Amino acid sequence: MVVLWVIDLAVVALSLFLSAGLTVMALRSADSGGGVQAAMLIAAVALLPVAAYPITAWAGARSALAKAILAPPELELDRRLVEVTRSRARLVDAFELDRRRIERDLHDGAQQRLVALTVALGLARLDLAPGSAAAAQVDTAHEQARQALAELRELIRGVHPQVLADRGLPAAVADAADRSPVKVGTDVVLPRRLPAGIEAAAYFAVCEALANVAKHSRASRASVRGRLVDDVLVLEVTDDGVGGADPAGGTGLAGLADRVAVVDGRLLLSSPAGGPTLVRVEIPCGLTVPSG
């Protein structure tokens, strides 16, 4: 705004310089004869179309410059969008690899040590006199080791369940339903194994939905249904609770939506007051962006 108007003025002045100069000369040369004056005026008028060319060229250049400053080209936007999508896919893959590494380290390291400790404490208890103070302390330590082992197994299952990697999403969803405090029926039928990232996102989405059912819905029963429809994984979690679920009321549903959005999916929610509540997750499986 500060500079371009000066350039505009300069371009117009230079373009009209010849026509304006001839016109001024014609007006000043009134005593040189009418023929000369008329010729100068005709030449000035004839040069006006020529002046339009540099003005038009500068107008096009100014438009391109304004477009480049105000908005990046569409191709550049498309390139950036593709790069952002691929970057997000790479981050998801890296996150899943870290989860599996942590699960493997806990399973092969800390869990095995706790198992060995539990066995050692059990054997030590057999060598002590029943009812002695040492036996009571060993019994307490043995029970604490068992509880720690159970908690560690639950933690490992939460990081990355082995059943998901070994047997796929239907078996993992059935396992999550069995561990839910609410009675859950499952009907997940898929014609094939899905990509690991999609299976993980779908599994943890179901777990989050079931956790919300157990915490907030006051439901007596829930169900999980899953199908692959036109290369789109569709999961529906329903319950007979009180309804009224609101994504703005907490981070559970918002986190679930974010988890699904990472794999280009979407979350649909129907939860009228009084119930029932339906959480529908749709994840495309055919048009995934490679992370490489």
Side-chain angles (χ1 to χ4, degrees):
M1 293 176 62
V2 177
V3 177
L4 288 181
W5 72 271
V6 179
I7 302 177
D8 294 342
L9 181 60
V11 171
V12 172
L14 292 174
S15 300
L16 299 177
F17 177 76
L18 291 177
S19 295
L22 288 173
T23 302
V24 172
M25 290 175 62
L27 294 176
R28 289 183 177 181
S29 61
D31 55 349
S32 60
V36 176
Q37 187 179 23
M40 289 183 179
L41 291 176
I42 293 173
V45 174
L47 288 173
L48 285 177
V50 178
Y53 286 97
I55 294 176
T56 304
W58 168 243
R62 196 180 194 280
S63 174
L65 180 61
K67 184 177 179 181
I69 293 174
L70 297 178
E74 294 183 0
L75 292 178
E76 179 67 16
L77 287 177
D78 293 342
R79 186 190 65 81
R80 291 183 181 182
L81 180 60
V82 171
E83 181 58 32
V84 168
T85 305
R86 289 178 176 174
S87 176
R88 185 176 67 175
R90 287 194 295 268
L91 289 175
V92 172
D93 289 347
F95 180 67
E96 288 302 321
L97 289 176
D98 287 340
R99 292 174 68 99
R100 294 190 181 191
R101 178 182 57 80
I102 294 172
E103 183 270 336
R104 184 174 60 253
D105 292 343
L106 290 175
H107 183 273
D108 297 339
Q111 180 176 255
Q112 298 304 320
R113 292 181 182 275
L114 274 177
V115 170
L117 176 61
T118 304
V119 173
L121 289 173
L123 293 175
R125 183 177 57 181
L126 297 177
D127 295 335
L128 296 175
S132 64
Q137 292 180 356
V138 171
D139 285 341
T140 301
H142 185 259
E143 182 60 27
Q144 291 179 349
R146 290 180 57 188
Q147 293 178 1
L149 181 59
E151 292 176 358
L152 181 61
R153 285 172 175 168
E154 198 64 28
L155 176 61
I156 293 173
R157 187 181 291 110
V159 171
H160 189 83
Q162 191 63 34
V163 65
L164 179 63
D166 294 342
R167 300 174 55 193
L169 184 61
V173 170
D175 180 68
D178 290 339
R179 291 183 284 107
S180 174
V182 179
K183 186 176 181 180
V184 180
T186 61
D187 180 20
V188 181
V189 179
L190 302 176
R192 65 177 188 274
R193 288 293 299 267
L194 303 178
I198 292 178
E199 283 190 339
Y203 169 77
F204 287 111
V206 170
C207 289
E208 184 66 32
L210 292 179
N212 288 336
V213 171
K215 292 179 182 178
H216 309 296
S217 70
R218 287 181 283 174
S220 61
R221 185 176 180 83
S223 64
V224 181
R225 184 178 186 275
R227 294 291 188 274
L228 191 63
V229 181
D230 295 332
D231 277 338
V232 176
L233 175 63
V234 179
L235 293 169
E236 295 181 346
V237 181
T238 59
D239 66 74
D240 59 356
V242 296
D246 184 7
T251 59
L253 289 173
L256 198 158
D258 291 340
R259 184 184 295 276
V260 172
V262 169
V263 288
D264 295 330
R266 64 174 182 168
L267 172 70
L268 304 175
L269 173 66
S270 173
S271 183
T277 296
L278 168 64
V279 177
R280 180 183 174 99
V281 174
E282 298 178 356
I283 303 176
C285 304
L287 298 177
T288 55
V289 178
S291 60

